[in-house]
Every structure is written in structure tokens, then in C-alpha cells.
Amino acid sequence: MAAISDRAYPYKLSIVVPCFNEGQHVAQFINQLKITIQKLTPNYEILIINDGSKDNTRDIALSFIKNGHIRYIEFSRNFGKESALMAGINHAVGDAVLLIDADFQHPLDKIVEMELLWKNGYEMIYGLIVSRLQESWWKKLGTRIFYALMNSSEVVIPANAGDFRWLDRRVVDALKQLPERNRFMKGLYAWVGFKSIALPFEPNERRSGNSSFGISRLSRLALAGLASFSSIPLQLWIATGILISGLAVTYGFYVVIDTFIYGNSVSGWPTLTVAIMFFSGIQLLSIGIVGEYIGQIFNEVKQRPLYLIADDISSEKK
């Protein structure tokens, strides 16, 4: 456990770099990252987590092994960024751990500011995106809706906070104690707490290639986050059920009164058909929401590992 005294020079810093098809720019990134880190401390390790890349990420990363300070961990297949981040956290040995992407969107010059805040007593410094001009309108809208739902739960997740973070050893040890398989890292960062502060930054242009996070993967991640940290979807459908039941009772009174006054006629079949289709859709949607939570329970019960490691190669001799 890192105490305040461990933050004095030269402390040990672990840098976790999840990679998925980053071969076009990972060499340049590692070189620039080393230049930045060496200004802070000579005692560091860079953990490159290859999350099932299909390009030449492996060959380029391994070419840096002989230069020292590199640990290369390769998954047996693609397990996702959340698993890659957790693998780095599990294997990091530093007094502090820096999480950073390899695509240059996280500005390297902010690392110096993160270190200063850490030395001033903060235990988690997280990058806060101040501008989303580069993102599509649907992603901006989805982000707003997601954080609105999430922040009505017991855990408040800062809006626009990402995975660009500096973590104290105490935070790292706390994250390692959390056993769940369905990991939504932004929620877990908020859940463990500790003395935290936001560091605003504007993302740089991606150096090359395209992001692997499309609408499908982002939607799955959002669902995982909601199911893991919020019961709002269930509560919304309880409220919807109460509202619809109230309307149904009201309509029932109307039908009874109308029948007594005007008699029973055969009209109303279109209304009945639409009502049946509407309520059938509501029921299927409700079952789907409940099923998402049951699916989360099913995944937890299976107790499968978060990831499988195919290779673990380090510059340091063991």
C-alpha cells in the first residue's frame, strides 16, 4: 500500500496501455511515452496489453523488449478493453498506475499534471473530456442519456470521465478486490471512491486507423453499466406498469358505464387489436429488461476468468 512517502522521487510507476490493432502508431507512441515518463521517474514499467490484435501490434511491441521497462501481455483472443485494463491493473507493481490509450487521443503532456496532483495527496486523477466536437450526434445524445440514467443510482459517475487515469496503489488494490465478471470500469472507479479530482482535457485526433468502438459495442457497454450499477430500468417499468394499470382501470369504468347507457355493440375491435399489440410489446420489452439482469447473474455464476493470457514476456528477468 502506497503511503505519502512512496510518492517521493524515485517512485515506481506502472503504465497500462491496452492495444487492439494499434500497429500503425504503437511504436511512435511507446517512444514518446518513454520520453515523457523518464522526466518523472527512472523507475517505471510499461505494460502493453494486446487484446487479440490481428495486425502487427505483437511484433512491434516485442521489438521494444530488449530496450527495457516493457512487459508484454497477450490475450488468447479479444476479451474487450475492460478486461485489458483489468489485466494491466492486476499485473502492475508500481506505487502508482497510469491508464492510457495508445492512439494518442490522451495527451501525454497531461501526465505531468497528474503526477503533481498525486504528489499533492490525490489518490485518483481522472481525465475529463471537455469537448466532444469530433463525435457524431448520436453518440453525444446516447452519452447524455446514459449518464442521466447512471447518476440517478447510488454511484455517481462523473459525466465525460474516461479511462485516462492516474491511480494510487491504494486504489489499485481496491479494484483488485472486486470479483465481478461483468466489469464496467468507469462505474468501478467511482464505486471504490478515495480522494479524486478531475483533470480537464481535449482529446487529440486519433493518430491513425479507426476506433473499434462502434455503436454496437458502445451500446453493449452501456447496457452492462446500467445493469451493474443501476436498477433505474426496472423502476421505470414498475412506474410504467402502474400507469398503464391505472389507465386500464379507468378505461374499464368507461366501458361499463358506456355499456349500461348505450348498450353493448360490436364496435371497438380496432381499439382492442391495437391495445393487445401495445401491451404485448410492453410485456416483451419488460421481459427483455429483466432478462438483461438475469443474464448478468448467469455470467457471474459461471465464474469464468476475465481473460486468458497466451503470452507474458518481460524485459526484466524473472
Side-chain angles (χ1 to χ4, degrees):
M1 182 178 293
I4 297 297
S5 59
D6 296 324
R7 303 181 185 188
Y9 182 89
Y11 60 88
K12 175 84 172 185
L13 177 63
S14 298
I15 305 99
V16 176
V17 184
C19 294
F20 180 68
N21 296 334
E22 312 284 358
Q24 294 180 346
H25 48 254
V26 69
Q28 185 180 4
F29 175 78
I30 293 174
N31 284 326
Q32 293 190 23
L33 178 64
K34 279 190 169 186
I35 293 172
T36 301
I37 299 302
Q38 286 167 357
K39 296 176 182 177
L40 305 180
T41 177
N43 191 13
Y44 67 92
E45 62 170 353
I46 300 175
L47 293 94
I48 301 173
I49 315 298
N50 187 352
D51 185 23
S53 298
K54 300 299 184 183
D55 62 357
N56 60 342
T57 298
R58 172 188 171 91
D59 296 334
I60 294 174
L62 290 178
S63 68
F64 284 88
I65 290 290
K66 61 181 182 296
N67 298 326
H69 300 283
I70 298 290
R71 183 172 181 181
Y72 174 81
I73 296 176
E74 181 177 330
F75 287 170
S76 60
R77 63 170 177 83
N78 177 251
F79 284 91
K81 186 180 181 181
E82 308 295 289
S83 295
L85 288 169
M86 202 60 220
I89 289 172
N90 285 336
H91 291 85
V93 297
D95 300 310
V97 176
L98 172 67
L99 309 179
I100 188 169
D101 290 348
D103 56 10
F104 285 96
Q105 289 194 294
H106 295 161
L108 295 173
D109 57 350
K110 290 294 182 180
I111 297 175
V112 177
E113 297 180 49
M114 287 180 161
E115 184 211 33
L116 181 60
L117 290 167
W118 178 62
K119 287 185 173 181
N120 286 334
Y122 289 98
E123 294 168 302
M124 180 165 15
I125 302 94
Y126 56 90
L128 194 70
I129 300 173
V130 297
S131 174
R132 292 185 175 271
L133 295 177
Q134 301 173 4
E135 296 181 353
S136 59
W137 66 270
W138 63 261
K139 188 174 180 181
K140 293 177 184 177
L141 177 61
T143 299
R144 291 194 189 97
I145 295 173
F146 171 75
Y147 281 111
L149 290 173
M150 285 299 301
N151 289 336
S152 57
S153 66
E154 61 179 276
V155 178
V156 177
I157 301 175
N160 299 321
D163 294 313
F164 184 32
R165 293 174 185 255
W166 183 296
L167 310 176
D168 183 75
R169 187 75 230 173
R170 294 178 64 194
V171 179
V172 171
D173 290 339
L175 289 169
K176 290 169 68 174
Q177 293 179 45
L178 305 180
E180 58 250 52
R181 268 59 184 167
N182 297 297
R183 301 190 81 84
F184 178 65
M185 294 303 295
K186 295 179 183 65
L188 297 179
Y189 300 140
W191 188 90
V192 298
F194 293 98
K195 188 177 181 181
S196 306
I197 188 171
L199 181 64
F201 77 97
E202 188 165 342
N204 297 323
E205 290 277 353
R206 185 178 173 88
R207 188 58 57 94
S208 60
N210 297 311
S211 173
S212 59
F213 271 85
I215 185 171
S216 176
R217 293 188 67 178
L218 286 172
S219 298
R220 289 199 300 270
L221 184 62
L223 283 174
L226 284 171
S228 298
F229 287 92
S230 177
S231 60
I232 289 298
L234 293 176
Q235 294 169 1
L236 285 175
W237 283 110
I238 291 173
T240 301
I242 293 172
L243 176 61
I244 293 176
S245 297
L247 292 174
V249 170
T250 302
Y251 184 68
F253 279 119
Y254 166 77
V255 170
V256 171
I257 294 172
D258 183 67
T259 300
F260 275 114
I261 295 176
Y262 299 105
N264 189 13
S265 65
V266 295
S267 62
W269 285 109
T271 303
L272 181 61
T273 302
V274 171
I276 291 174
M277 293 176 64
F278 173 73
F279 288 117
S280 297
I282 289 291
Q283 289 175 340
L284 290 173
L285 184 58
S286 302
I287 292 171
I289 292 174
V290 174
E292 178 65 27
Y293 284 89
I294 295 174
Q296 295 271 11
I297 297 171
F298 179 61
N299 287 332
E300 294 293 338
V301 169
K302 288 186 289 188
Q303 292 289 297
R304 289 176 181 168
L306 286 174
Y307 51 83
L308 295 175
I309 295 177
D311 264 324
D312 185 352
I313 305 170
S314 176
S315 298
E316 306 296 329
K317 293 182 179 180
K318 298 181 179 180

